[in-house]
Amino acid sequence: MHESKLIIVVPCYNEQEMLDYTTDELLKVIDRLQQDGKIGTGKILYVDDGSKDATWSIIERLTRRHEAVCGLKLAHNVGHQNALWAGLEWASLNGDVSISIDADLQDDTRAIDEMVDRYNQGTDIVYGVRKDRQTDSVFKRQTALMFYRLVRNLGEEIIYNHADFRLMSRRALKALMTYPERNIFLRGMVPRIGLSTACVYYDRKERMAGESKYPFSKMFALAMDGITSFSVRPLQWIYIAGFIMVFLALVAIIYCLGVYQFSEVVWGWTSILISIWFIGGATLVSIGIIGEYVGKIYREVKRRPRYFVEKIVDGEEEQQMGRDF
């Protein structure tokens, strides 16, 4: 019989269509874990990331109906990663173990049982990993594969086909909370903690209702955060590319001088135009990569709070955060 308190952290943004179903399913999971003696108590923590629909009013209604449901309302939209961080921070103060899962429940809740089993065996971090990406479009599958390979080639540790469906013990959460940076990419930060880890594999389901909150633009921004938050190798690539371009320029100069010396030449505008476009494009890309790093430095040194909590609702008296982060 285990007496651990489990907190399931669910970040939400405009999820009014899913919340009732999500609550029913997660309450069933908590009841099953309690009946099997795998946990002592369990709670669902919804983190409302500045939703524009009825998400927060539904969360308030659910907290009045179920003691095992509580809600944390952020003052404005801060993005999925920051909203998830807010929930994990609350969980580190109020629970023994947390599981993060998206509100659409495309991640299989049946995998939670095995995650908790691994935790009870002494594992601090358990990653939920998709068996495949058959539910994704061809474009999304290929871009995801490219991203994971790129991050691996940059020398960073990342779990392939793992998003933010994971279990973390209180010890792992406390270690995560010591990270001071404001540019958050949890998929890269959590593996750096170390401690004991395991993977649980599952089949991802189709979204039942609502729309995906991760269009291509947000996926691209998240990928850029993941690449630039943990590696300076793109800057090194610019350095190497500069030397290559200088070498090619020297070769072109020698060739042109040789042709000019030994034959009559009518110089065309094509080669000049191509060179200008190529060098101009390469320069702009290089400046953009450097600018991405400078922008991250800018945000880090300002040390602005990650989020502000507007309201916390709970069915019972709990320790609550006394400050905003």
Side-chain angles (χ1 to χ4, degrees), residues 61-120:
R61 170 171 58 80
L62 291 170
T63 61
R64 292 191 295 268
R65 182 180 299 176
H66 306 285
E67 280 192 1
V69 178
C70 51
L72 190 155
K73 179 176 174 57
L74 302 184
H76 65 292
N77 179 260
V78 294
H80 178 270
Q81 295 291 281
N82 282 303
L84 180 52
W85 183 283
L88 294 177
E89 191 161 25
W90 193 91
S92 71
L93 298 173
N94 294 280
D96 299 307
V97 56
S98 76
I99 292 178
S100 56
I101 188 170
D102 289 338
D104 56 22
L105 290 194
Q106 288 185 267
D107 298 318
D108 193 354
T109 56
R110 291 173 295 182
I112 293 177
D113 295 68
E114 188 176 350
M115 287 180 164
V116 174
D117 287 339
R118 297 295 184 93
Y119 166 73
N120 288 330

Side-chain angles (χ1 to χ4, degrees), residues 97-98 118-119 122-126 167-173 194-198:
V97 56
S98 76
R118 297 295 184 93
Y119 166 73
T123 306
D124 286 288
I125 302 171
V126 184
L167 175 147
M168 298 183 70
S169 67
R170 175 182 282 186
R171 181 166 68 150
L173 284 174
L195 300 179
S196 54
T197 63

Side-chain angles (χ1 to χ4, degrees), residues 40-209:
T41 59
K43 268 191 170 296
I44 304 169
L45 172 66
Y46 288 114
V47 183
D48 180 21
D49 185 23
S51 297
K52 298 177 181 178
D53 61 4
T55 293
W56 180 247
S57 61
I58 294 173
I59 292 173
E60 288 185 309
R61 170 171 58 80
L62 291 170
T63 61
R64 292 191 295 268
R65 182 180 299 176
H66 306 285
E67 280 192 1
V69 178
C70 51
L72 190 155
K73 179 176 174 57
L74 302 184
H76 65 292
N77 179 260
V78 294
H80 178 270
Q81 295 291 281
N82 282 303
L84 180 52
W85 183 283
L88 294 177
E89 191 161 25
W90 193 91
S92 71
L93 298 173
N94 294 280
D96 299 307
V97 56
S98 76
I99 292 178
S100 56
I101 188 170
D102 289 338
D104 56 22
L105 290 194
Q106 288 185 267
D107 298 318
D108 193 354
T109 56
R110 291 173 295 182
I112 293 177
D113 295 68
E114 188 176 350
M115 287 180 164
V116 174
D117 287 339
R118 297 295 184 93
Y119 166 73
N120 288 330
Q121 294 166 7
T123 306
D124 286 288
I125 302 171
V126 184
Y127 300 103
V129 181
R130 297 172 60 174
K131 292 179 181 178
D132 54 52
R133 306 188 71 95
Q134 296 304 314
T135 57
D136 292 342
S137 64
V138 175
F139 175 76
K140 191 171 182 179
R141 284 201 300 269
Q142 294 303 316
T143 53
L145 180 63
M146 289 172 57
F147 168 71
Y148 284 112
R149 285 180 175 173
L150 177 59
V151 174
R152 287 280 183 87
N153 290 335
L154 289 173
E156 295 305 313
E157 182 180 358
I158 191 170
I159 308 300
Y160 181 67
N161 274 347
H162 163 69
D164 288 304
F165 182 33
R166 71 177 71 86
L167 175 147
M168 298 183 70
S169 67
R170 175 182 282 186
R171 181 166 68 150
L173 284 174
K174 293 291 186 184
L176 180 64
M177 292 304 121
T178 62
Y179 280 71
E181 59 255 42
R182 267 46 186 168
N183 298 289
I184 299 175
F185 182 67
L186 290 169
R187 301 178 202 183
M189 295 168 69
V190 174
R192 285 175 168 250
I193 294 174
L195 300 179
S196 54
T197 63
C199 292
V200 170
Y201 297 89
Y202 67 95
D203 293 310
R204 188 170 171 85
K205 300 179 291 185
E206 297 283 353
R207 170 180 272 271
M208 290 190 58

Side-chain angles (χ1 to χ4, degrees), residues 13-15 17-18 102 104 106 136 140 204 207-216 218-219:
Y13 179 69
N14 294 343
E15 293 287 359
E17 298 93 348
M18 284 297 303
D102 289 338
D104 56 22
Q106 288 185 267
D136 292 342
K140 191 171 182 179
R204 188 170 171 85
R207 170 180 272 271
M208 290 190 58
E211 299 178 352
S212 172
K213 305 307 182 296
Y214 258 92
F216 177 75
K218 287 190 176 181
M219 290 174 56

